[in-house]
Amino acid sequence: MPVRVVNAEESGALDAAAIASGIPSRALMRTAAFNAASVLCARYPDELRRGVTVFTGPGNNGGDGWALASALDAAGISVCVREVVAARTPDALAERQLAAPHLLNDTTPMGGVIVDAMLGTGSSGELRGSIVHAAAEMADSRRHGAIVIALDLPSGVDATVGAAHECVIADLTISFGSCKRGTLVSRAQCGEIVVVDIGLGEDPKVLPSLVDETFVRANTPRIAPDAHKGTRRSVAIVAGAGNLAGAAILAATGALRSGAGLVKVVTASQNMSAVHSALPEALVAPLEDAASAITGWADAILLGPGLGQDEQMKWFVRETLRAWRGAIVLDADALNVFSGEVGELAELLHDRPAIITPHPGEMARLVGRDVEYVLRNRFDIGLEVARNIGATVLLKGTPTVVSSPDGVRQVIASGTPVLATGGSGDALGGMIATLLAQGCAPNVAASCAAWVHGRAAELTPGVRGYRLMDVLNRLPQAWSLDGAAPRYPLLATLPALS
């Protein structure tokens, strides 16, 4: 079952659906706590020997903390509970009453592990009152070497929109049954994120799902032992106005390192020698011959990187879309020429496999909104645009969200800040076009390519000192897809981003 990516309301709906199906709410709480305990025992055996302090709040997140303390106590681990705000919900009160009396201890935090169980998915806004002081105490313990664990999400991180000004900074966030939108937006505050099963079952409506290696492995087209360049398909990269060869080279590199059999770079004449030199495997043709160079040859094209936005190029993009009626990926300047013209874009993309790949600024220009609006609505705005234009939308960012006209949404949380550099999106466009050419559905092509693109960044050991080409050189390793699936109760694991 895929991991769902939810906001606060959707998280509550998942819990309510499970309870309505006959699972007692206390059973969900105890499963969450015991599975969290198993994660801690597996990850931090040495730190646990130094003891655990659990900070609890008034709601069911506090109840999770009481249940976790009981589980760790039963395992022989020295544990105490700091009740920052008294328990108020029925389940939290029940877990507090069930816990051994010796667990309650309001003295200085002890031990190698600090657990944040103060505020959960129902909270929003800035931290207040005693919780502010407790968060500061946790931060001080962390500076002195303690490991901070957040249950479901760090206090101060809104499940829907992400971190407030002040919040707990966690080394590990254990998310229960689903992945919260806010944690994906605020990775720096959450540390490593693991999602553990608590028995929620299927969701009551279509929710975004988290793309992982299992999904990519199952949906990446197999290259047969007897494959040849024709069966591996042909990709055309229409990119690079005068003296902008880099965009075309990076896009073509992404395609070649993703399994394309033939790549043709259609670029400005003055770029052709640079492309020949950088990519001897690629064919090259001038932009003025774009229609004849791709028609009858390409299985899919990428149109847009480095083309510019002057009047001649706006005409060129529209004419290319009219001449080429096959599978297409639109990126960068091919999107900018349609700023505020979603209707015209829909007409030109009609009745073909198509993907657009805007970053938030390009999306804002396309729909006539500001960037802040796009970022606030990053999980939903792509779905609206996808339905309006009849094409898949890949909205880049942290995280990346892929939306299909049929309502399917996929979230890609792989990657590191090493991708935050010019040309990264060009390379991704070439990767997507390759999978589209090889027969993937548009949303699958976009999701698989974006996950592998991010995985290649994760395989790059740092940010400073690395070029984008260093990331692309790790694509063969990223495409190997030889990692083991998470062991139960883990459903997903996302590395810490610092």
Side-chain angles (χ1 to χ4, degrees), residues 407-465:
V408 173
R409 284 174 290 173
Q410 287 144 318
V411 180
I412 298 89
S414 62
T416 75
V418 75
L419 293 176
T421 186
S424 180
D426 303 332
L428 174 60
M431 297 169 67
I432 296 170
T434 296
L435 295 187
L436 194 61
Q438 293 174 345
C440 285
N443 69 304
V444 172
S447 297
C448 290
W451 186 90
V452 172
H453 186 242
R455 178 61 181 145
E458 293 171 354
L459 293 169
T460 304
V463 177
R464 294 188 188 276

Side-chain angles (χ1 to χ4, degrees), residues 177-257:
S178 61
C179 197
K180 288 32 177 206
R181 291 185 181 190
T183 61
L184 297 183
V185 173
S186 300
R187 295 285 293 276
Q189 288 76 19
C190 298
E192 183 181 4
I193 300 172
V194 298
V195 182
V196 296
D197 186 23
I198 63 170
L200 291 180
E202 292 294 330
D203 55 87
K205 61 178 181 177
V206 177
L207 297 173
S209 61
L210 191 67
V211 173
D212 59 12
E213 183 168 345
T214 300
F215 176 89
V216 177
R217 187 186 300 113
N219 288 282
T220 300
R222 180 174 175 267
I223 296 176
D226 61 348
H228 54 80
K229 61 187 179 184
T231 58
R232 286 173 58 176
R233 304 294 179 167
S234 302
V235 175
I237 307 295
V238 185
N243 300 315
L244 291 172
I249 291 168
L250 290 167
T253 300
L256 288 165
R257 287 200 175 276

Side-chain angles (χ1 to χ4, degrees), residues 26-286:
R26 286 278 304 285
L28 293 176
M29 182 175 285
R30 305 213 88 200
T31 301
F34 284 116
N35 284 345
S38 72
V39 171
L40 295 188
C41 290
R43 296 287 183 97
Y44 304 111
D46 294 334
E47 291 82 355
L48 289 176
R49 292 189 185 97
R50 293 159 47 201
V52 180
T53 301
V54 181
F55 287 69
T56 64
N60 282 347
N61 193 254
D64 295 333
W66 280 105
L68 172 62
S70 296
L72 293 174
D73 183 56
I77 295 166
S78 179
V79 58
C80 70
V81 177
R82 289 278 302 279
E83 193 172 34
V84 180
V85 181
R88 294 173 187 164
T89 64
D91 287 350
L93 287 166
E95 289 300 329
R96 186 187 189 282
Q97 185 174 8
L98 184 66
H102 70 265
L103 294 181
L104 186 60
N105 188 336
D106 287 330
T107 60
T108 301
M110 66 172 196
V113 176
I114 307 294
V115 177
D116 170 21
M118 295 188 295
L119 299 176
T121 56
S123 68
S124 60
E126 299 289 338
L127 298 182
R128 297 179 292 275
S130 58
I131 290 180
V132 174
H133 300 295
E137 216 171 339
M138 287 186 192
D140 185 62
S141 294
R142 186 169 183 262
R143 283 191 294 270
H144 287 85
I147 301 294
V148 175
I149 310 298
L151 299 187
D152 224 11
L153 71 175
S155 295
V157 173
D158 185 292
T160 300
V161 302
H165 176 66
E166 287 187 274
C167 68
V168 170
I169 306 298
D171 297 290
L172 172 69
T173 297
I174 303 175
S175 190
F176 297 139
S178 61
C179 197
K180 288 32 177 206
R181 291 185 181 190
T183 61
L184 297 183
V185 173
S186 300
R187 295 285 293 276
Q189 288 76 19
C190 298
E192 183 181 4
I193 300 172
V194 298
V195 182
V196 296
D197 186 23
I198 63 170
L200 291 180
E202 292 294 330
D203 55 87
K205 61 178 181 177
V206 177
L207 297 173
S209 61
L210 191 67
V211 173
D212 59 12
E213 183 168 345
T214 300
F215 176 89
V216 177
R217 187 186 300 113
N219 288 282
T220 300
R222 180 174 175 267
I223 296 176
D226 61 348
H228 54 80
K229 61 187 179 184
T231 58
R232 286 173 58 176
R233 304 294 179 167
S234 302
V235 175
I237 307 295
V238 185
N243 300 315
L244 291 172
I249 291 168
L250 290 167
T253 300
L256 288 165
R257 287 200 175 276
S258 298
L262 287 169
V263 173
K264 182 182 290 185
V265 178
V266 183
T267 190
S269 298
Q270 54 266 56
N271 298 334
M272 293 176 65
S273 61
V275 175
H276 276 301
S277 177
L279 297 170
E281 309 99 318
L283 304 170
V284 188

Side-chain angles (χ1 to χ4, degrees), residues 284-297:
V284 188
L287 278 178
E288 55 265 30
D289 296 337
S292 60
I294 61 179
T295 302
W297 182 89

